[in-house]
Amino acid sequence: MNIEKITEGQVVSPSLWGGREGLASIYIHIPFCKQACHYCDFHFSTSLKKKSQLVSMLCKELVLRKDELPAEEIQCIYFGGGTPSLLDAEELKQLFDTIYTHYRIAENPEITLEANPDDLTPGKVEMLAASKINRLSIGIQSFFEEDLKLMNRAHNAKEALESINLAKAYFDNISIDLIYGIPGMSAARWCENLAKALKLKVPHISSYALTVEPNTALHKFIEKGKIKPVDDAAAKEHFQILVSTLTANSFEHYEFSNFGKPGYFSQNNMAYWLGKPYLGIGPGAHSFDRETRKWNISNNPLYIKALEKGELPQEMERLSTADKFNEYIMTRLRTKYGVGIVEIARKFGDTYEKHFQKQVIPLQKEELIKEEDGVYHITEKGKFLSDGIAADLFYLEAE
């Protein structure tokens, strides 16, 4: 397969992404929401007054940073947030005109926009389909009213169903998000959520356990006893139901939280997990160029003020070999492709290869990791413990 002829939605193997220099992604953070979800700790504002001004500054940042990845061809563009579906046609055009003027874009790039169901009116879907967007990621989270109210989502159960049916009339490549482990959610209701998703025949599902982050409304409500705590045992049961149900229905579990039909893996996410460089544009956005990591200030007014003066409001850290190794372990163990011992030796050297071979032994004895032909994967027993397993394999600089 010629990488330059990959079509929208086509599966990209790790050998293609991992072995080919010159492919990168652009992530654009749209930091606005109609209302705050109780569980969310991402950077956003519920005031839309500065939206058009901020879009102009996103374009300015894109221009200022156009030479950061000079040899890279952009394979993926991803609008995340926040709520990117709040953008209007003129704002999207402004962003696309800037990107296509100043960056080298691959043929048939994957261009994803995250959307909330309540934004996907017939007119909005038609407008998005007329733009360069070719993939929608719809934040359903649940098809049940009680779950949506608990999370303070802006949409209702009826809009959740209607948004997908509307999107399917214009888009083939659709992903939906679902959340499990919600307080009060029974295994039966979770099964019904999955059944509704399967009936809608979407080709990609991302599913996450509800996480209680500090300083969120959900954290405060649980502390005050207004909402029951998250039940880890229930979340684990929901995860097992998720995996068995979707794999039995021809979805491939290609990353811990992601399931795709053949031909519909997220190319944008694959690029992250396989270590490709990406440019993060907007307040709070992160960037990676294989050697350094940068992040923008998470403050809309300060971001706008800096860009108006032609300054980039960001910090940077240079990654050590240990940083790169630890990130490789963390990301690759989450995927179906696993960690290759030959790849460790090639990328990081003998010290890291020996470290890995030593650290992995007890994990194999506990049947949390298995090895086949020099490639190590997390077992079914270990999947819900993947972050902790990865941490056990990290290389600490003091060693």
Side-chain angles (χ1 to χ4, degrees), residues 74-287:
I74 304 302
Q75 179 71 27
C76 305
I77 301 168
Y78 193 99
F79 292 87
T83 311
S85 50
L86 290 173
L87 294 174
D88 61 32
E90 182 54 39
E91 289 163 342
L92 274 174
K93 182 180 185 301
Q94 190 179 349
L95 287 163
F96 279 126
D97 286 348
T98 304
I99 292 168
Y100 274 77
T101 298
H102 296 283
Y103 293 82
R104 190 160 60 95
I105 309 301
E107 184 181 355
N108 300 315
E110 178 188 270
I111 304 179
T112 302
L113 180 130
E114 291 181 351
N116 277 0
D118 49 299
D119 291 329
L120 293 182
T121 62
K124 175 56 73 80
V125 175
E126 189 172 355
M127 180 275 283
L128 293 173
S131 76
K132 294 183 183 296
I133 306 294
N134 54 33
R135 183 175 184 270
L136 289 184
S137 177
I138 306 175
I140 299 297
Q141 315 311 356
S142 177
F143 291 104
F144 288 90
E145 208 68 52
E146 52 264 55
D147 298 332
L148 297 172
K149 287 180 179 178
L150 183 146
M151 294 184 285
N152 199 41
R153 294 291 294 171
H155 68 280
N156 57 41
K158 183 172 180 284
E159 289 170 325
L161 290 168
E162 288 177 348
S163 67
I164 297 172
N165 286 321
L166 275 171
K168 284 171 61 180
Y170 291 89
F171 289 89
D172 169 62
N173 200 351
I174 297 171
S175 177
I176 66 170
D177 287 355
L178 294 175
I179 292 179
Y180 58 88
I182 299 170
M185 175 186 275
S186 66
R189 189 157 89 228
W190 177 234
C191 288
E192 200 170 338
N193 252 321
L194 294 174
K196 287 176 183 287
L198 291 170
K199 188 175 180 180
L200 289 162
K201 298 187 183 301
V202 292
H204 189 278
I205 295 174
S206 296
S207 191
Y208 309 91
L210 183 66
T211 304
V212 183
E213 301 290 352
N215 303 317
T216 59
L218 179 62
H219 182 259
K220 292 172 185 174
F221 292 152
I222 290 174
E223 277 191 330
K224 292 177 180 178
K226 293 182 178 180
I227 294 177
K228 292 180 181 178
V230 170
D231 185 337
D232 289 339
K236 185 175 182 180
E237 181 186 11
H238 293 174
F239 176 74
Q240 291 166 342
I241 292 169
L242 171 72
V243 175
S244 61
T245 301
L246 294 188
T247 55
N249 282 274
S250 303
F251 281 85
E252 192 161 352
H253 189 195
Y254 71 100
E255 191 273 340
F256 182 84
S257 301
N258 286 271
F259 302 77
K261 288 290 182 76
Y264 290 94
F265 294 3
S266 168
Q267 290 184 31
N268 180 76
N269 290 345
M270 287 287 292
Y272 291 160
W273 298 322
L274 297 175
K276 307 307 293 184
Y278 54 90
L279 199 63
I281 303 296
H286 286 235
S287 303

Side-chain angles (χ1 to χ4, degrees), residues 16 23 30 45 63-64 67 82 88 90-91 107 124 144 146 186 247 254 269 290 326 364 373 377:
L16 287 172
L23 292 174
I30 307 299
S45 170
V63 175
L64 287 173
D67 296 324
D88 61 32
E90 182 54 39
E91 289 163 342
E107 184 181 355
K124 175 56 73 80
F144 288 90
E146 52 264 55
S186 66
T247 55
Y254 71 100
N269 290 345
R290 297 189 182 92
N326 293 343
Q364 288 179 286
D373 297 328
H377 296 89

Side-chain angles (χ1 to χ4, degrees), residues 341-353:
I341 195 67
V342 172
E343 192 171 17
I344 289 176
R346 178 175 62 82
K347 283 177 174 283
F348 308 106
D350 291 346
T351 298
Y352 289 88
E353 179 189 358

Side-chain angles (χ1 to χ4, degrees), residues 28-53:
I28 300 177
H29 187 72
I30 307 299
F32 298 103
C33 291
K34 291 177 182 175
Q35 64 187 51
C37 298
H38 287 161
Y39 57 88
C40 183
D41 70 339
F42 292 160
H43 169 64
F44 67 91
S45 170
T46 54
S47 171
L48 306 184
K49 291 178 182 178
K50 295 183 181 292
K51 182 161 71 81
S52 61
Q53 186 182 9

